[in-house]
Amino acid sequence: MAENKTTTTGENNLLLVENLSVTVRNSGKKLIQNLNFSIPKGEIFGLVGESGSGKSLTATVILGMLSKSLEVTSGTVKLGQSEITSLSEKELRNIRGHDSAYLSQNYQSFFTPFIKVGKQFIEIIRCHTNMSRKEAKKVAIHWLNRVHLPAERVFNSYPDELSGGQLQRASIASAIMFRPKLIIADEPTTALDVLTGERILDLLCELKEELNCSILLISHDLRHIINRTQTVGVMYGGQIVEIGKTSAVVADPIHPYTNLLLQSRLKLSNQPPLELQTMLGEPGLIAEEGCPFSKRCPSVMKSCSNLVPMNSIGTHHSAACHLVKAEREERYVTH
Ligand code: SF4
């Protein structure tokens, strides 16, 4: 298999995922296959793909929160100096919150509804430190201010007295107050209106600079990924089918799935498109053999029923598609 140049073992990596595979215990059903990617310190890596492609499951493995019904059958997940897949539950609890933090789309369920937000902050802080209540309140107010909330008012409010955007900001404050090295933001804007969602993503980028942390930004929406990430991995059927510097993938997508995702973005234009670009087949239709996208691919060919290795296109761009070879040959002839 060609080396995937976007995955390196360099010392600058905060997160290194190598050959990760996850299956359903006792059934052998593969949910994630041979994932390889890395996130350097201080960078944002985007993981994009439709529901069920394995994005959130990947996050679950990195957090060490895989359900007992699933198992890691191969590979490693290294966060800093820690090999996540081999840690005990107690060691993982120390890592979560300190080394890694999770932001979910279900921010409404992040806070217990009948307890004031401030009290919940104090409990979390005192659970991880030996601060007094007074000191913990100071920390909570600092971070609520830091995410641009009216800190005292939010601190003294019940969760249902806050808007969706305010609740998501409060959950961000809670996630970052121990200065994690890696923030996993899993569809953080899904339940928000477009403008509020954009502001939340801008806030995350701003905090990344301040905390000098890395972010794994998971989204089904390429618009969120394109302008905010340095590197992107496109997932389909539990596999990364294209990976590279975001600018290279967007400018020159090779995998037909990436291409279709890019074409189906809404664009501002004086001339509305005559027809919307759609994808063949139902979401989640995955071929068992060969290329997982072959049942929906407009460019499918005979060889696609064979295993497709990850092929390098350039120094920082790879795709698991037989078209890579055709593309290379075309470039060779043209130049
Ligand atoms: Fe399409 Fe074949 Fe490429 Fe898969 S390997 S994306 S089926 S052309």
Side-chain angles (χ1 to χ4, degrees), residues 255-257 291 293-294 297 299-301 304 308 320-323:
H255 200 284
Y257 179 61
C291 171
F293 191 56
S294 58
C297 180
S299 310
V300 64
M301 48 192 144
C304 300
V308 194
C321 175
H322 291 304
L323 292 175

Side-chain angles (χ1 to χ4, degrees), residues 65-85:
M65 295 177 74
L66 197 62
S67 149
K68 294 247 179 303
S69 61
L70 307 178
E71 65 179 330
V72 172
T73 44
S74 74
T76 53
V77 175
K78 202 167 173 206
L79 177 61
Q81 295 306 311
S82 307
E83 170 42 52
I84 297 291
T85 56

